[in-house]
Amino acid sequence: MYFNANNASSNSNSNISARLLSNSIIIAQAFPHPLVKIMPRGRELVGCSNTLAGNKDVITIPKRVGFLYEKMLDRVFITETIRLAANGKKNRRSVRRVLANIDAYAEKLLVMLRTDSFIPSKPKVKRVYDVSSRKWRDIKVVPFYPDGCVHWLCVRAMQPVLMRGMHYWSCASIPGRGGARAMRQIKRMVQRRPKDSKYCAQMDVRKFYDSIPLDGMRRALERKIKDKRFVRLVTRIIADGLAIGYYICQWLANYYLETLDRTLCACKGVVCEVRYMDNVTIFGRSKRALHKAVKAAEQHLQTLGLTLKNDWQVYPIRKRKVDAVGYKFGRNAVVLRKRSLLRTLRQFRRAAKRERVSAKMAQALLSRLGRLKWCASKTIMVKYVRPVGVQNLKGVVRIESARRCQTA
């Protein structure tokens, strides 16, 4: 192959040429040209030039982003971030104290970042029982200021970088990419594309948050971010590992599996892949192709320092419904998962027996109604929801909200 690195016409004295002699030779030359680095990958070339992007045999290296730390050294940016981080937490005394004197706290935080004097606080560990997954989880909690605000600053600074290249059906803990998004795509695959979803494969990562290695996370960040000061700050925050409860960790955990999404989408026979954090659902026409995809995922996870759970499964959808994101998806209908359905019916029966529904129970029941909206629930609405009354529940919540606004 021949590369003309000059703008002038071709001649023997002014051109720089390179010929790929074997697959093991690495060609790296500092050209005075958009071609920054050229390396062979197997029989292909990896380059940074936009002029080569049209060639299907050339893969373009994504440009790394810098100056993210300088982006956080802005008083207006810090003030906006503190207000965003306070949403949903204004009933806490510590948050109200910061909002009452937000300019002074923003200035203190700016000085901390400029002098690199921010030291992450030791988190408090709360052990919570997750009813849906029936397991105990250790939730780590840090103070709102300065730790929570610094987490938000880091996420706001690197969010465009992490979103670039993210798999379209990578959901969970990302604004606009919740369970409803994953549910719509799975429903579309099962009901509208039956030929492409003859078989389904589901897999899960063992102890996902606890198993992510710090060195692997740092290398993943350096793949897109060249700001060493910013990377040092992030690694200082997650020095003890990724924690459930940190706002920044849910973004980092989702980003860490970006290469897994690419590996699965590149597997032959995989029609669609939907990932809800570490729960992966893939569809295909061939059972053998999905088995190969699961094996490829297991091998790739080993390179990331993670392990695939042994309960992965490949099955035909005509015999079994797809169980994902709290629902069961069939060819003709979507139903709520059995455990969630039973808890919902118990709550509505309990509310129907009471003369007056409390505000806390009304909020819980309206949340349950939000889940019923996406599945077949006509009989449930008639038999269990109507005796309680949706408008009655909304009225109770409305009155409680007005009372809180008056006392605030």
Side-chain angles (χ1 to χ4, degrees), residues 272-313:
C272 178
E273 183 237 355
V274 180
R275 180 171 61 83
Y276 190 78
M277 193 55 78
D278 61 325
N279 298 302
V280 182
T281 305
I282 55 178
F283 298 95
R285 298 187 176 191
S286 169
K287 191 173 183 180
R288 180 180 296 179
L290 294 187
H291 274 284
K292 289 182 179 180
V294 172
K295 188 175 181 180
E298 187 174 10
Q299 293 175 352
H300 183 76
L301 287 174
Q302 289 177 358
T303 64
L304 298 178
L306 303 175
T307 308
L308 192 68
K309 280 187 180 179
N310 295 327
D311 58 353
W312 61 268
Q313 46 194 333

Side-chain angles (χ1 to χ4, degrees), residues 35-204:
L35 282 173
V36 178
K37 189 181 291 183
I38 302 174
M39 295 179 296
R41 198 181 88 176
R43 291 178 177 240
E44 300 171 341
L45 287 178
V46 181
C48 295
S49 173
N50 292 331
T51 58
L52 298 179
N55 192 343
K56 64 179 181 180
D57 295 331
V58 177
I59 300 176
T60 305
I61 295 177
K63 184 177 179 181
R64 298 199 301 162
V65 178
F67 301 103
L68 294 183
Y69 201 92
E70 285 73 10
K71 185 179 180 180
M72 297 191 299
L73 301 180
D74 182 9
R75 190 177 290 102
V76 177
F77 184 77
I78 293 175
T79 304
E80 292 176 355
T81 304
I82 292 176
R83 295 187 188 278
L84 288 174
N87 288 338
K89 309 181 187 73
K90 295 180 181 179
N91 57 339
R92 302 180 188 176
R93 188 180 303 173
S94 60
V95 178
R96 291 200 300 266
R97 183 174 63 249
V98 174
L99 293 178
N101 196 8
I102 189 170
D103 293 333
Y105 280 99
E107 184 65 30
K108 289 181 183 179
L109 195 55
L110 179 60
V111 173
M112 283 187 194
L113 295 175
R114 278 179 178 170
T115 58
D116 288 330
S117 59
F118 169 71
I119 300 176
S121 305
K122 187 176 181 180
K124 295 181 180 179
V125 181
K126 292 183 179 180
R127 196 167 179 81
V128 179
Y129 184 74
D130 189 355
V131 180
S132 60
S133 59
R134 295 186 294 181
K135 63 174 71 172
W136 288 93
R137 299 189 184 275
D138 292 330
I139 311 297
K140 293 185 179 180
V141 182
V142 291
F144 172 77
Y145 184 90
D147 295 78
C149 297
V150 173
H151 294 182
W152 270 80
L153 282 169
C154 292
V155 170
R156 287 196 69 198
M158 66 179 174
Q159 180 176 346
V161 183
L162 300 186
M163 293 291 291
R164 186 190 66 192
M166 184 177 290
H167 180 50
Y168 190 76
W169 299 114
S170 172
C171 306
S173 303
I174 299 175
R177 293 188 175 210
R181 180 188 178 96
M183 184 226 165
R184 285 195 297 267
Q185 176 61 8
I186 295 175
K187 181 180 178 181
R188 187 182 296 115
M189 288 298 301
V190 174
Q191 296 186 356
R192 298 186 185 179
R193 301 176 62 183
K195 291 184 179 180
D196 292 333
S197 60
K198 287 184 178 180
Y199 295 93
C200 175
Q202 291 184 296
M203 63 194 90
D204 193 4

